[in-house]
Amino acid sequence: MKKPRLYSGMQPSADSLQIGNYIGALLQWRQLQTSYDAFFSVVDLHALTQPNNPEELREKTRRTAAQYIAAGIEPSQSTLYVQSHVRAHAELAWVLSTITGYGEAGRMTQFKDKSARYGTDSTSVGLFTYPVLMAADILLYQSDVVPVGDDQKQHVELTRDLAERFNKRFGEAFTVPIPVIQKDTARIYDLQNPTSKMSKSAESDAGVLWMLDDPAKSAKKIMRAVTDNEGVVRFDRENKPGVSNLLTIYAALTGRQIATIEDEYAGRGYGDFKKGLAEVVVAEFEPVRGRALELLDDPAELDRILAANAARADAVADATLADVYEKVGLLRRV
Ligand code: AMP
Ligand code: TRP
């Protein structure tokens, strides 16, 4: 039986991913890759919508790919590749942009937020068409499901609209994908500011746990994480966001229930609890970090893995693109 297709990706926007990326995305991906024919990309073309130093972008792209693999995405099982290696992405994005409404693209909240923040003169057309490129990523592979954080849900809805519109106008070319929205329990917050999401672009480093950091450093950050004065290890997102966040991390990394962890630490202080969590985090990330650094030590081998996977992606993407070109009436080059 053919497995359903799954597509997801992340931008290479930092030297290291943070554990929110790991718990919220990579752990899910690793699980899903066995039951789906999965495609995971490092979306470097999307990253061009932010200012980048070229050498640093290349390095971040390799690092992001290495962390996918280190976290358990199997490059022999899943198609793990770099977006810009597969030319069809930019080509399909162009065709899709011709059936996307100007107003429709302008309603994307991520674009509205960013353009409001930076002003129209500092907002590129690339940022405006970002969701169309994302639609191309997904539709090229006839993806059935797309796991994303809730901030990306609107982009997947746009993808569905474009797929349906194209199919209706030109004939069936695309599978209409379903977004799979990350669970609340997979959302990780900043250790110092536990009401905002842990993020690669956080203002302060003290609240972020980096996958590639020395685990001893992460342990220290956990010991200094913001809690509260109650002194009881208890999940209460509203009144105890700090402790609740630590419990979420603990549960996600151990696969245990939050209630079981609360019981284990009943009558014990936050110091004990944090020490326990620090041990869990160190045990989880020591091998992941080691594996990632090993891969990065041999960039030629990593590049070979990415090239082989890009070739697999090409085969699927080229077939979709050829069908689309045919359907919209582009003359075939002989
Ligand atoms: P980003 O780093 O925002 O590009 O996100 C890449 C992926 O990681 C997306 O699937 C996000 O939903 C997920 N992610 C990022 N930060 C967090 C977080 N703090 N908690 C859970 N998931 C996250
Ligand atoms: N825009 C997504 C994000 O910022 C990354 C992304 C690009 C993506 N293309 C995708 C996610 C296709 C899922 C499917 O998180």
Side-chain angles (χ1 to χ4, degrees), residues 10-11 18 20-21 24-25 149 151 182 186-188 197-198 200:
M10 255 189 253
Q11 291 194 48
Q18 38 89 9
N21 299 130
D151 62 321
Q182 182 186 92
R187 166 138 346 144
I188 306 304
K197 250 175 84 167
M198 190 180 284
K200 287 181 278 191

Side-chain angles (χ1 to χ4, degrees), residues 154-168:
Q154 196 187 24
H155 293 164
V156 183
E157 295 296 345
L158 174 71
T159 304
R160 290 172 56 85
D161 290 345
L162 294 178
E164 280 165 0
R165 189 174 308 156
F166 188 99
N167 288 347
K168 206 150 119 210

Side-chain angles (χ1 to χ4, degrees), residues 7-11 43 46 130 134 137-138 146 148 152:
Y7 195 97
S8 200
M10 255 189 253
Q11 291 194 48
V43 294
H46 279 110
Y130 178 112
M134 180 162 160
D137 300 344
I138 296 165
V146 183
V148 283
Q152 297 297 313

